[in-house]
Amino acid sequence: MSMSWADLRFMLERTRGLFRRGLASLRTRGLSATWARVRRQFAQHPRLPPGALYRPAEAAFAPFTVPSSDAPRVSIVIPVYNQALHTLGCLRALAEHPPAAACEVIVVDDGSQDETRAWMQAIGGLRYHLRATNGGFIAACNDGAALAQGTYLVFLNNDTFPQPGWLDALLDTFGAWPEAGLVGAQLVYPDGRLQEAGGVVFDDGSAWNYGRFESPDDPCYTSVRDADYCSGAAIMLPTALFREIGGFDTRYAPAYYEDTDLAFAVRARGYRVLYQPASRVVHLEGITAGTDTGSGAKAYQVRNRGVFAQKWADALTRQAAAGTLPSPAVLARGRRQVLIVDSETPRPRHDSASLRMANLMRMLVGEGAHVVFLPADLRHAGTDTAALRQHGVETWHAPFVGSVASWLREHGPRFDVVMLSRHYVAAEFLPLVRRFAPQARIVFDTVDLHFLRETRGADVAGDETLRRSAQKTRERELALMRQADTTLVVSPAERDMLSALLPTAQVDVLSNLHELADDGAPFAQRHDIVFVGGFRHPPNVDAVLWFGRDIFPDIRTGLPGVRFHCIGAEPPAEVLALQEQPGIVVHGHVPDIAPYMEGARVAVAPLRFGAGVKGKVNLSMAHGQPVVATPCAVEGMHLVDGHDVLVAESADAFVGAVVRLYEDAPLWERLSVNGRENIRRHFSLDAAREVVRRVFLD
């Protein structure tokens, strides 16, 4: 992104205030915090790569059109005073990348003397309001809010370049977080450094732009989280709430601290103030008022801090002490802090263990915990990493984790609970956690008992080498259970087995976690048979091969034309080869599994070995899709043959059960209803809440 002469002039102007600001910081924050700010400003942090930030091309003015609507959902209010070129750039950004949400754009002119009036009146779709007299930023914002017709109100500075998708990300936050009252964007400098990831307010009323000068992609700043305030350069809140509060408080006129005051007023009414990193806005900062707090309009920032501190004296007693260096631990103070480590980032659309893990983290966040996730492979998992962050999970990855040991040395002291998932992950991490987080309760999450699954696989294969390997796995898993404070298993059957093997171990059942889906199509409108399961899991490969070779041909004889849909990531060659048989379709991974859950008549789980609770069975039942399964597939799931599932062990019995269920509408309806009830009682988030609270939050 090239720097214009206006940008260069702004940077030169900024240097005038650095000395005064440094002295002011020493007086209010102390030497340690001031030095930290200096180091952050001049340190070399990873910036956004060239071209990552959008900026409209500079060109002579020519009329254009901004987004508009007769029934806007969002009203964007842009207060302006001179600086017509910056206003033009902001509006061009809105025009070139219009939001998906219906919106209106309102420019409130606070008495500009430059080209602002002539240009604004020539822009199509724009609502232009010229104030009779210059009243300052607060007056202009309040006038714009009075004109707003949208359900939601956005205040946007004119010295900004909103990035594509910024508005919809803010709006979506209110749907994902019903308790949200105000949401602020991530602000970045034109050079790609972070300007603000929400603000921090200290007990003396002073404030801190969290993350200033660091990388916008640093995991400290990439998750939705509570903020003390968000800069008014780009914030959204319900229009009715803003009017209920009475708008920006005019005691801060002409400007400064009005956005901080607004955030405290929103929170005082029982709502949350959230920072949304998916909404990114380039902010030039200080174009109109400068950055020198010793002169000009910026001087009101110093005065208004005292006004704010007096108004919110009671609330400020709960803030961090002045001079505290903000960090993830400081921001999450007073909340249970939980670290979760798994082999890789959960992929909920790929496997049931991932769905369980993702839903567990969502539950913990919903219960008020601050959740941190560290994948053992340290990889950024694209949309899956982004999804966790949108759920409020602080999610780490390379290059921001140099080594696990150094990361735990820095962050370990903040955790109350550390959960290590899978025995091979726990074996690597447990000694480090004991060393660097000795205060933490260690939870070993087995996911399923690996040694049990391996032993059963060895029995099916008749392989003595596999049996010896399973014995070694058993020794490792049991050793980890002795070292952990709590062990989690997914079924009562596994808990009962461990109570005999390790009577002194603390073992709790935290099973698969599912949300009930819609019922889907009725019996008469459903067709075909479906299997769901990832093929990195050996029991799934064996199950599909057995079903495809030994069971499905006889089913198709009894049900001519029926098809078998095989869904799951990374099918091996022998599974793909099943498609040579009539009626078998191997889809591999599908991005949306709902059509198969809601449209297929019968699901099958022909597992001959395995352990734990089978997510494929849970998934179908959560959608009201009846299941035919082997005894192994329904182990520990509180299911009764003929009531909420059909159980068959041999190939012939499996054929008979599938054909019967496929043709018997009353039986299908009974299993559909009872299967959903089984999910609600045993595998829903509410069913797991008591265990989650006891293990992680007590």
Side-chain angles (χ1 to χ4, degrees):
M1 181 181 293
S2 61
M3 296 288 286
S4 68
W5 170 247
D7 295 329
L8 181 60
R9 184 176 61 187
F10 156 67
M11 296 300 291
L12 292 173
E13 180 185 339
R14 166 176 284 175
T15 61
R16 294 179 57 248
L18 283 177
F19 183 70
R20 288 182 179 177
R21 291 166 61 198
L23 290 178
S25 181
L26 282 171
R27 288 193 297 268
T28 59
R29 299 186 178 96
L31 178 61
S32 176
T34 299
W35 178 239
R37 286 176 70 91
V38 172
R39 285 190 291 108
R40 289 186 179 190
Q41 178 163 0
F42 294 104
Q44 293 298 313
H45 296 288
R47 302 185 183 189
L48 297 175
L53 294 176
Y54 155 79
R55 182 170 185 167
E58 295 183 9
F61 176 77
F64 60 94
T65 300
V66 296
S68 62
S69 172
D70 293 332
R73 193 170 181 207
V74 180
S75 297
I76 304 172
V77 174
I78 305 174
V80 305
Y81 177 66
N82 293 325
Q83 303 296 339
L85 282 173
H86 289 291
T87 305
L88 185 61
C90 178
L91 294 175
R92 280 175 171 160
L94 295 176
E96 292 176 12
H97 294 280
C103 64
E104 62 176 354
V105 182
I106 304 170
V107 167
V108 181
D109 186 346
D110 199 25
S112 299
Q113 303 299 313
D114 59 1
E115 301 93 339
T116 296
R117 182 174 184 178
W119 288 357
M120 296 303 105
Q121 290 178 333
I123 295 175
L126 181 69
R127 295 185 64 191
Y128 173 67
H129 174 69
L130 177 63
R131 301 191 75 249
T133 59
N134 178 273
F137 180 83
I138 290 175
C141 286
N142 285 342
D143 276 7
L147 297 170
Q149 302 177 68
T151 304
Y152 290 91
L153 185 61
V154 167
F155 292 103
L156 181 67
N157 277 17
N158 69 326
D159 57 344
T160 61
F161 300 119
Q163 300 300 289
W166 73 286
L167 184 76
D168 299 304
L170 290 177
L171 184 60
D172 290 346
T173 311
F174 288 92
W177 300 79
E179 66 276 27
L182 184 150
V183 181
Q186 182 190 76
L187 303 180
V188 297
Y189 288 108
D191 64 4
R193 291 183 300 169
L194 181 61
Q195 183 180 118
E196 179 190 291
V200 179
V201 176
F202 299 106
D203 61 359
D204 64 349
S206 61
W208 181 291
N209 299 116
Y210 187 52
R212 192 179 186 92
F213 308 126
E214 300 201 24
S215 168
D217 290 334
D218 188 309
C220 290
Y221 316 116
T222 51
S223 303
V224 174
R225 59 166 179 78
D226 290 279
D228 292 339
Y229 77 97
C230 294
S231 169
I235 57 174
M236 177 184 286
L237 74 165
T239 305
L241 178 59
F242 184 77
R243 291 171 178 168
E244 174 190 327
I245 289 170
F248 284 123
D249 192 334
T250 56
R251 76 184 75 184
Y252 299 101
Y256 294 106
Y257 264 89
E258 74 287 333
D259 47 8
T260 313
D261 177 88
L262 177 64
F264 272 61
V266 166
R267 204 159 30 245
R269 282 163 173 76
Y271 297 99
R272 295 173 70 176
V273 175
L274 297 177
Y275 156 69
Q276 174 53 272
S279 175
R280 182 170 282 172
V281 174
V282 174
H283 183 213
L284 302 183
E285 190 186 42
I287 286 296
T288 300
T291 60
D292 184 359
T293 58
S295 63
K298 191 74 172 176
Y300 286 103
Q301 183 173 333
V302 177
R303 187 206 74 173
N304 286 348
R305 173 186 156 191
V307 175
F308 172 80
Q310 183 177 10
K311 178 179 178 180
W312 295 101
D314 289 342
L316 289 175
T317 62
R318 296 184 289 275
Q319 298 300 115
T324 303
L325 184 63
S327 67
V330 170
L331 268 59
R333 68 192 182 282
R335 299 165 61 192
R336 198 76 163 165
Q337 300 198 45
V338 179
L339 170 64
I340 294 179
V341 184
D342 202 350
S343 58
E344 60 185 11
T345 300
R347 302 186 300 167
R349 292 181 178 272
H350 287 73
D351 62 271
S352 62
S354 288
L355 181 62
R356 171 179 175 267
M357 179 65 80
N359 280 338
L360 170 60
M361 288 191 273
R362 286 179 55 203
M363 281 187 66
L364 288 169
V365 170
E367 290 287 333
H370 179 69
V371 180
V372 180
F373 178 75
L374 178 67
D377 64 3
L378 301 183
R379 293 178 58 190
H380 187 293
T383 56
D384 292 309
T385 295
L388 284 183
R389 289 170 167 171
Q390 284 301 299
H391 289 308
V393 178
E394 180 188 320
T395 306
W396 286 79
H397 55 82
F400 300 97
V401 181
S403 74
V404 169
S406 61
W407 188 88
L408 281 171
R409 183 181 294 109
E410 178 182 356
H411 293 273
R414 63 170 159 140
F415 298 118
D416 300 292
V417 180
V418 176
M419 187 179 93
L420 306 175
S421 186
R422 305 174 202 273
H423 71 89
Y424 47 89
V425 172
E428 296 174 358
F429 278 78
L430 199 149
L432 291 173
V433 173
R434 283 293 187 211
R435 179 179 177 184
F436 297 120
Q439 77 291 340
R441 174 190 299 170
I442 295 182
V443 178
F444 171 37
D445 179 31
T446 63
V447 181
D448 61 19
L449 290 180
H450 286 59
F451 77 81
L452 180 59
R453 168 161 47 86
E454 292 177 9
T455 299
R456 289 172 172 174
D459 291 342
V460 170
D463 190 318
E464 190 59 35
T465 301
L466 291 178
R467 193 170 287 110
R468 288 194 297 269
S469 176
Q471 179 61 30
K472 293 179 180 178
T473 300
R474 167 178 159 150
E475 293 169 1
R476 286 193 293 269
E477 285 190 286
L478 295 182
L480 290 166
M481 294 172 195
R482 294 186 186 98
Q483 297 175 63
D485 298 306
T486 299
T487 295
L488 294 179
V489 295
V490 295
S491 76
E494 292 184 343
R495 179 192 57 199
D496 295 344
M497 176 184 295
L498 291 178
S499 67
L501 294 173
L502 293 175
T504 61
Q506 176 63 45
V507 181
D508 283 286
V509 177
L510 181 61
S511 199
N512 289 347
L513 301 172
H514 291 268
E515 294 178 301
L516 287 173
D518 294 335
D519 287 340
F523 174 85
Q525 296 177 19
R526 288 176 176 256
H527 306 281
D528 297 338
I529 300 165
V530 66
F531 171 91
V532 178
F535 289 103
R536 289 195 296 176
H537 194 52
N540 288 337
V541 176
D542 175 81
V544 167
L545 292 177
W546 181 52
F547 184 83
R549 293 168 178 170
D550 299 345
I551 299 173
F552 184 69
D554 290 340
I555 290 175
R556 193 169 169 87
T557 299
L559 300 171
V562 72
R563 292 182 298 171
F564 172 48
H565 299 276
C566 181
I567 297 171
E570 302 177 37
E574 58 265 40
V575 170
L576 291 171
L578 291 175
Q579 295 181 103
E580 297 174 5
Q581 297 179 214
I584 296 182
V585 183
V586 180
H587 297 273
H589 171 68
V590 296
D592 184 9
I593 203 170
Y596 298 93
M597 295 293 98
E598 297 168 358
R601 185 174 291 181
V602 174
V604 293
L607 293 153
R608 296 194 292 176
F609 66 95
V613 169
K614 310 307 179 293
K616 57 182 61 62
V617 177
N618 291 141
L619 180 65
S620 289
M621 289 184 173
H623 283 81
Q625 183 181 65
V627 179
V628 178
T630 58
C632 174
V634 298
E635 182 181 55
M637 296 186 68
H638 314 280
L639 294 168
V640 177
D641 185 20
H643 177 73
D644 37 27
V645 69
L646 291 186
V647 180
E649 188 163 13
S650 68
D652 288 344
F654 217 100
V655 171
V658 170
V659 172
R660 176 188 169 204
L661 179 58
Y662 200 90
E663 296 181 325
D664 189 335
L667 173 63
W668 189 96
E669 293 286 354
R670 182 170 73 249
L671 266 58
S672 175
V673 171
N674 293 339
R676 285 173 60 85
E677 176 62 16
N678 174 270
I679 297 299
R680 187 193 65 78
R681 293 182 60 188
H682 301 291
F683 302 103
S684 65
L685 274 63
D686 284 340
R689 205 167 299 279
E690 188 274 331
V691 171
V692 169
R693 288 173 175 170
R694 184 176 69 251
V695 171
F696 294 95
L697 305 177
D698 288 349

